[in-house]
C-alpha cells in the first residue's frame, strides 16, 4: 500500500464548509453546535495562535476528536492515517483552511497524525472544540522532521 | 435605586482571568472546558468579528448563557441588569477584554442587556461558547441609542 497525498478523505476525517454572515460592521462566523450531525460532545474550547511560516506537529490524540476552524489567517494541514485497522491506512490528506473562501470546519478523529503550517502573512488563529478536556496522557508527539513513520516532509 | 457604572458585578455575571501559554511560535489561549465550575453545558460555538469603533447591541437573551473571550483585538462591554427580581437590578457593568493583559472569560447570564464596542485599531474577534443553540425566539434587541430602558449612552 503506497502513501500519497490524495483527495480521498481519511476515514473519520470530515471537512464542512461553514457559513459566514458578513456586513459592513464585521461578520458572524458559524462554527459548531450540539445539533450538528458530526458533534461528538464538548470537552474543551481553546485557541491556538501560530506565527507566519511556523509549522506545528506532529501530534496524535488517542481519544480526542478535534474540530478546527480558522477565523483569522490561513493554514495548511497535513494528516496521516497510521491506524492498523483503517481502510485508509497510509493515506495522506492536505487541507487549506482560512477565514475567507476556505472557511471550513475540519474534524480529526483519534489516532491520526497531524501537523499544520501558518501560510498567511499575519499570525493565524485556530479555534478548537474537542470532545474531551485536554489530557497529556492521550497525546503522542513526533519531531516534525521524523523520517520513519510519516511519509511527508514539510 | 440609581443606575451607575460600578465595580460590583451584576448577579450571575462572571469574569475569569484565563491562561495564555506564549512562545516564539505563537500561543495557546485557554478558554473553557466541561470541568470549569461555571460551565453550563454546550449549545453552540461561533465567532463574532467587529470592525474598529463599531458598536453592536443592545441585545438580551432570555435563555442563553454566553461565555465570551477575545483572542484578537480589544472590546469594551457594557452590561445592564434589568431583571425585576435581581438584587443588582439597575446596575451597569463595564469590562475591557482583549487578547493580552485583559484576556478574560466573560460569562453573561440570561436577561442582561449587553452591547460592546471594538476599541482596537484592527478588527476584533469574540469567541462565544453558549449553553443552547442560537434561537431567534429567545433574543430581544433595542436600538443602541434607545433612551428609556438603559441608562447609558455610547
Amino acid at each position: 500500500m503506497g502513501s500519497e497525498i490524495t483527495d480521498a478523505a481519511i476515514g473519520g476525517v470530515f471537512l464542512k464548509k461553514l457559513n459566514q454572515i458578513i456586513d459592513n460592521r464585521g461578520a458572524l462566523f458559524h462554527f459548531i453546535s450540539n445539533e450538528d450531525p458530526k458533534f461528538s460532545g464538548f470537552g474543551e474550547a481553546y485557541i491556538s495562535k501560530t506565527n507566519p511560516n511556523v509549522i506545528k506537529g506532529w501530534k496524535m490524540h488517542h481519544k480526542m476528536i478535534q474540530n478546527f476552524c480558522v477565523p483569522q489567517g490561513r493554514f495548511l494541514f497535513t494528516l496521516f492515517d497510521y491506524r492498523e485497522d483503517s481502510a485508509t491506512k497510509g493515506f495522506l490528506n492536505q487541507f487549506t483552511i482560512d477565514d475567507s473562501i476556505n472557511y471550513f470546519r475540519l474534524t480529526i478523529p483519534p489516532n491520526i497524525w497531524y501537523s499544520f503550517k501558518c501560510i498567511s502573512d499575519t499570525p493565524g488563529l485556530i479555534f478548537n472544540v474537542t470532545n474531551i478536556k485536554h489530557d497529556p496522557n492521550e497525546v503522542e508527539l513526533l519531531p516534525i522532521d521524523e523520517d520513519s513513520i510519516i511519509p511527508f516532509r514539510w
Side-chain angles (χ1 to χ4, degrees), chain A residues 104-154:
Chain A
F104 291 101
R105 184 173 75 230
L106 172 62
T107 301
I108 303 179
N111 298 311
I112 300 295
W113 286 108
Y114 68 94
S115 63
F116 54 81
K117 180 178 183 178
C118 177
I119 57 172
S120 47
D121 295 336
T122 54
L125 297 178
I126 298 172
F127 282 11
N128 191 3
V129 166
T130 68
N131 66 324
I132 59 169
K133 189 175 184 297
H134 172 68
D135 172 6
N137 295 317
E138 61 91 37
V139 182
E140 278 192 67
L141 302 173
L142 277 176
I144 199 64
D145 60 351
E146 80 80 33
D147 59 6
S148 61
I149 294 176
I150 302 169
F152 177 80
R153 300 294 160 267
W154 279 100

Side-chain angles (χ1 to χ4, degrees), chain A residues 16-20 30-32 68-69 103-105:
Chain A
K16 180 179 167 54
K17 185 84 168 119
L18 297 174
N19 205 16
Q20 295 183 329
H30 284 182
F31 182 13
I32 189 166
F68 294 134
C69 78
Y103 185 61
F104 291 101
R105 184 173 75 230

Side-chain angles (χ1 to χ4, degrees), chain A residues 70-99:
Chain A
V70 173
Q72 161 120 338
R74 177 172 290 141
F75 288 87
L76 179 61
F77 285 82
T78 303
L79 280 57
F80 179 64
D81 186 355
Y82 193 61
R83 299 169 297 186
E84 272 304 328
D85 58 350
S86 172
T88 53
K89 182 176 184 232
F91 277 40
L92 276 167
N93 283 171
Q94 284 196 309
F95 302 103
T96 297
I97 304 183
D98 62 31
D99 58 4

Side-chain angles (χ1 to χ4, degrees), chain A residues 12 14 16 32-33 35-41 65 67 105 107:
Chain A
F14 187 70
K16 180 179 167 54
I32 189 166
S33 89
E35 295 181 5
D36 285 319
K38 298 287 177 183
F39 180 68
S40 52
I65 300 169
N67 295 283
R105 184 173 75 230
T107 301

